[in-house]
């Protein structure tokens, strides 16, 4: 059957780490790919910005700097977008979809803001839009959420989906070094980019949270809907205190279904560094690894673990999508469409309840603890743990609360800041992954 | 759109733990299912063996003891087979597929032996045959292997895919109790069936290994191809020795691509209790939980973890398949077909190399260790660890080897059995999950 079917033409846009690996697989693994697709997968061209750059392993006649013309070729059926960023990828993907070509992309920033537009274009022209590689690299997460859990009700998705920040936090926990030093080391080792803002300030994790929340809750969530806090203010003292509480600190992307007493539902989507107990499955996810925990009504808790970044792992996810999109063209099938029927609103972070860890520098004298505790009590926030560390000038008070709304906690912190006995609020972090 | 489309009729065969949960989800969750499918999912009937049994939650008019007539109804589009065993499920599924209906099943024993026949019937009538629930309950494993990794080259799949045996081995490791006692306890707690043979002797795990190997390596592997050894001979002494080696013992289902020096490839598929290092990700999978580790050329190591059995978790996997099969009918799509193009042969266990743990009762006198070591050396088997435990009458010698072919190891064990100084070979177990 395979030899009888018309070849499927593929165009690759972008030749970075992932693009290079995708081109390698497409050119090295032709026999297996043909057998799996049911027709030959033929690489028609690779669009790059700089034609003068050496590209070992790529036949020179396949290289072009005219992406639009490559996409427009009649013999291109599938466009693989690996450029990154909003433009030109958005225009390229629109052009491909509008002319009925299928698109595979790893572009989380674009998807987080423009899935609606792109999914509509794909639906209108009956083409596929696949993006497994946009979240957690090689780890299958999008397809399990969209297909395997299609008959279940997802309650929560919580993941470590940014390798740079996980590398930094793991290293800080292990070495006791401070943030700036560890970031520099991550840069030297290739785990952080020259401008690390998108990673360390949580923009990348927030884009991924938007994608996960949209799929998990059949709604449309964009990056702007996601509450976001980065890791740049985490100190060695925070990690040390976390360890004393049998916790570690991880940058989490959390998507939650909030069900009110009257049955109305909302989505919470948020990214922040949080303390999690060492016994939590995500606590053991170290270095550049990623993991996503999904909790659904019937499945219970599932965990997906693996390499969340890197050329070859991300290319694995891209190529899975390419084979599925190609098969759909051979067999006149079609991947799942965007599903946004639930249209759940996104809750403000002020209404979302979590547990908190508050660390403050205090005067070391009788009565201070009672005063501090009083501010929490006044706003009906229960305290689970209070610990004083150091003494005299170095007295540090650690408070861990029970579940509290973000709004009440912020008021409490403001009140503590006004107290004479509190010299400084050192850290306010959330605590996740406990049974409460 | 959803209201305009013709309803999709569903028939459920079998009303055990999983069937009951599937019927509950189908009847309680109609709005979400309709939105996700794009048409109403309507339960046409539930086939049971005993009509007189009370079935709370099922409208009595839906119950029938005539499965064949239910399958044959014109308004049934999807048949969910949850009876288990070979017949009548095989005939029912054939009847459904032959008349163009899609089938969702959790029946691993049937699939392990008859996937070829059933997949051909599905392909011939352009119907879907989905079976995510057949391996590892709620954990998405089949779909990731078949779709997400469709562009990668899987090297190895190793999993804990039987909850009963994992419960027993976890409990034995924790309590020090012996096998018979722990099996009885598992029965009392509902983790072992009245006749536990299929679980404890590894038949269930072998059926799942056959399914996983077939998909991972694009070949057809049946249960009879899988080397199989159960857990009934594991002793508290084995678990204690394992602990001293920083290991634990797990029943593993292993599917491996073996590449010879000349490039020819074979499959190894095997199920046995093995020592694994405590640092291995599968070592922490305890109780009735399941986990599957997949290693592929580009993705690297992935792990999938969750509840491997139980009514609701398994129903979650079944319902994911039902929604996908229903969508395919609404949108004229189609799930992936069986892929067996690689047709790799299955290697005999005699040629497969693993590391071994051999425990033997020996006479406590000088020279015995040298004699024992000599038998390994004679067959070119390297020794990694030798440990003597106890003394005098209770002297026990533990040998851990480097990689050795099963054939040479068996010869060595036979020679040791003939030695005067060796009173008894207590255990021969494999060691997996080390870097060697």
């Amino acid at each position: 059957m395979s030899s009888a079917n018309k070849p499927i033409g593929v165009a690759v846009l972008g030749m970075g780490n992932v693009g290079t690996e995708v081109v390698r697989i497409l050119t090295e693994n032709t026999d297996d790919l043909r057998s799996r697709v049911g027709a030959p997968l033929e690489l028609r061209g690779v669009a790059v910005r700089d034609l003068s750059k050496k590209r070992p392993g790529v036949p020179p006649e396949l290289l072009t700097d005219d992406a639009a013309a490559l996409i427009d070729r009649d013999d291109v059926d599938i466009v693989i977008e690996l450029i990154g960023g909003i433009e030109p990828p958005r225009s390229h993907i629109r052009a491909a979809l509008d002319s009925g070509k299928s698109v595979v992309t790893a572009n989380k920033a674009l998807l987080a803001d423009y899935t609606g537009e792109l999914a509509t274009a794909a639906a209108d022209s009956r083409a596929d839009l696949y993006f497994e590689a946009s979240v957690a690299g090689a780890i299958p997460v999008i397809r399990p959420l969209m297909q395997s859990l299609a008959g279940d009700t997802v309650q929560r998705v919580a993941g470590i989906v940014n390798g740079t920040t996980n590398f930094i936090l793991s290293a800080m926990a292990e070495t006791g070094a401070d943030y700036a030093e560890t970031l520099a080391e991550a840069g030297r080792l290739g785990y952080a980019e020259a401008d690390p803002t998108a990673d360390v300030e949580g923009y990348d994790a927030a884009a991924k949270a938007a994608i996960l929340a949209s799929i998990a809750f059949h709604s449309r969530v964009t990056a702007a809907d996601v509450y976001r806090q980065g890791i740049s203010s985490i100190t060695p003292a925070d990690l040390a205190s976390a360890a004393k509480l049998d916790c570690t600190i991880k940058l989490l992307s959390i998507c939650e279904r909030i069900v009110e007493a009257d049955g109305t539902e909302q989505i919470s989507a948020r990214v922040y560094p949080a303390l999690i107990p060492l016994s939590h499955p995500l606590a053991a996810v170290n270095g550049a690894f990623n993991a996503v925990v999904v909790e659904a009504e019937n499945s219970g808790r599932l965990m997906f673990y693996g390499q969340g970044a890197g050329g070859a792992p991300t290319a694995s996810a891209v190529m899975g999508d390419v084979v599925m999109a190609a098969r759909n063209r051979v067999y006149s099938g079609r991947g799942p469409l965007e599903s946004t029927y639930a249209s759940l609103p996104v809750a403000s972070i002020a209404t979302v309840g979590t547990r908190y860890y508050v660390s403050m520098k205090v005067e070391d004298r009788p009565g201070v603890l009672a005063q501090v505790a009083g501010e929490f009590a006044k706003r009906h926030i229960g305290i689970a743990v209070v610990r004083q560390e150091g003494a005299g000038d170095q007295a540090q008070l650690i408070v861990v609360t029970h579940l509290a709304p973000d709004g009440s906690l912020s008021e409490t912190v403001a009140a503590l800041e006004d107290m004479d006995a509190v010299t400084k609020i050192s850290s306010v972090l959330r605590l996740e992954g406990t049974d409460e």
Side-chain angles (χ1 to χ4, degrees), chain A:
Chain A
M1 165 199 303
S2 52
S3 56
N5 285 318
K6 202 168 123 300
I8 301 292
V10 175
V12 174
L13 315 184
M15 234 349 225
N17 284 342
V18 181
T20 303
E21 292 295 323
V22 165
V23 167
R24 178 184 61 76
I25 298 169
L26 279 168
T27 48
E28 281 181 2
N29 215 6
T30 48
D31 288 354
D32 275 326
L33 291 172
R34 183 179 55 234
S35 300
R36 295 179 192 180
V37 167
L41 266 190
E42 293 180 0
L43 180 60
R44 303 295 184 212
V46 181
V48 295
R49 211 165 27 187
D50 181 0
L51 268 180
S52 67
K53 209 166 148 185
K54 285 234 159 67
R55 316 276 178 179
V58 187
E61 69 276 14
L62 289 183
L63 290 168
T64 172
D65 57 3
D66 188 349
L70 175 60
I71 294 165
D72 198 40
R73 277 173 60 160
D74 283 344
D75 61 355
V76 165
D77 303 290
I78 298 176
V79 173
I80 307 175
E81 187 277 306
L82 300 168
I83 301 171
I86 304 299
E87 283 296 352
R90 178 184 169 201
S91 305
H92 289 332
I93 293 178
R94 274 302 302 267
L97 292 174
D98 288 346
S99 57
K101 304 180 184 208
S102 296
V103 170
V104 174
T105 176
N107 192 329
K108 58 254 172 180
L110 179 64
L111 288 163
D113 283 339
Y114 294 95
T115 297
E117 173 189 326
L118 303 179
T120 303
D124 287 349
S125 66
R126 297 189 56 82
D128 282 328
L129 173 65
Y130 280 117
F131 47 91
E132 180 66 70
S134 65
V135 179
I139 312 171
V141 173
I142 305 289
R143 189 168 273 110
L145 272 176
M146 213 181 250
Q147 301 190 28
S148 307
L149 290 163
D152 209 333
T153 303
V154 176
Q155 291 153 332
R156 198 164 198 269
V157 180
I160 295 172
V161 294
N162 180 272
T164 305
T165 49
N166 202 49
F167 176 87
I168 293 172
L169 291 173
S170 301
M172 286 177 71
E174 202 181 312
T175 64
D178 73 12
Y179 168 75
E181 206 177 321
T182 313
L183 171 60
E185 175 70 6
R188 278 191 293 276
L189 294 171
Y191 290 115
E193 300 194 34
D195 177 359
T197 313
D199 292 316
V200 299
E201 295 305 340
Y203 291 98
D204 174 81
K208 290 165 179 170
I211 295 170
L212 292 172
S214 299
I215 295 169
F217 304 125
H218 299 270
S219 297
R220 200 172 281 160
V221 179
T222 65
D225 296 324
V226 180
Y227 175 81
R228 180 192 50 76
Q229 197 184 315
I231 65 160
S232 53
S233 61
I234 300 293
T235 63
D238 291 330
L239 282 155
S241 297
K244 282 186 196 143
L245 297 163
D246 290 324
C247 286
T248 187
I249 298 177
K250 296 289 186 189
L251 183 72
L252 301 181
S253 294
I254 299 174
C255 312
E256 228 165 15
R257 180 191 299 272
I258 303 176
V259 185
E260 303 294 342
D262 66 359
T264 58
E265 298 189 347
Q266 285 186 289
I267 294 170
S268 166
R270 49 195 208 263
V271 169
Y272 43 63
L275 282 77
I276 54 172
L278 291 173
S279 59
H280 192 280
L282 291 177
V285 177
N286 285 318
F289 279 85
N290 278 193
V292 177
V293 172
V294 177
E295 289 168 40
E297 195 174 291
N298 297 306
S299 71
R301 185 192 267 181
L302 302 170
M303 178 156 124
F304 306 87
Y305 173 88
Q307 295 189 53
T314 309
S316 170
V318 168
M319 287 305 303
D321 281 353
V322 169
V323 169
M324 296 319 294
R327 285 187 54 90
N328 285 343
R329 298 188 88 87
V330 173
Y331 295 100
S332 310
R334 197 169 181 202
L337 300 171
E338 189 192 25
S339 169
T340 59
Y341 73 90
S343 296
L344 299 183
V346 178
S348 151
I349 190 74
T351 65
V352 173
T354 55
R355 300 184 65 183
Y356 287 87
Y357 153 97
V358 182
S359 164
M360 61 202 104
K361 220 171 156 198
V362 293
E363 287 178 17
D364 188 11
R365 56 172 169 81
V368 172
L369 173 56
Q371 253 186 293
V372 166
E375 292 298 335
F376 284 91
K378 219 183 275 179
R379 293 166 188 89
H380 311 290
I381 300 176
I383 293 179
V385 177
V386 179
R387 185 205 308 273
Q388 183 174 330
E389 292 173 4
D393 274 2
Q394 301 302 317
Q396 191 82 16
L397 203 64
I398 309 284
V399 177
V400 177
T401 75
H402 289 299
L403 274 181
D406 180 280
S408 315
L409 196 280
S410 304
E411 279 178 34
T412 309
V413 169
L416 292 172
E417 272 173 336
D418 284 345
M419 271 176 56
D420 288 343
V422 174
T423 324
K424 188 192 165 197
I425 301 286
S426 314
S427 297
V428 180
L429 292 170
R430 289 174 177 82
L431 171 62
E432 293 279 351
T434 60
D435 278 338
E436 182 179 359

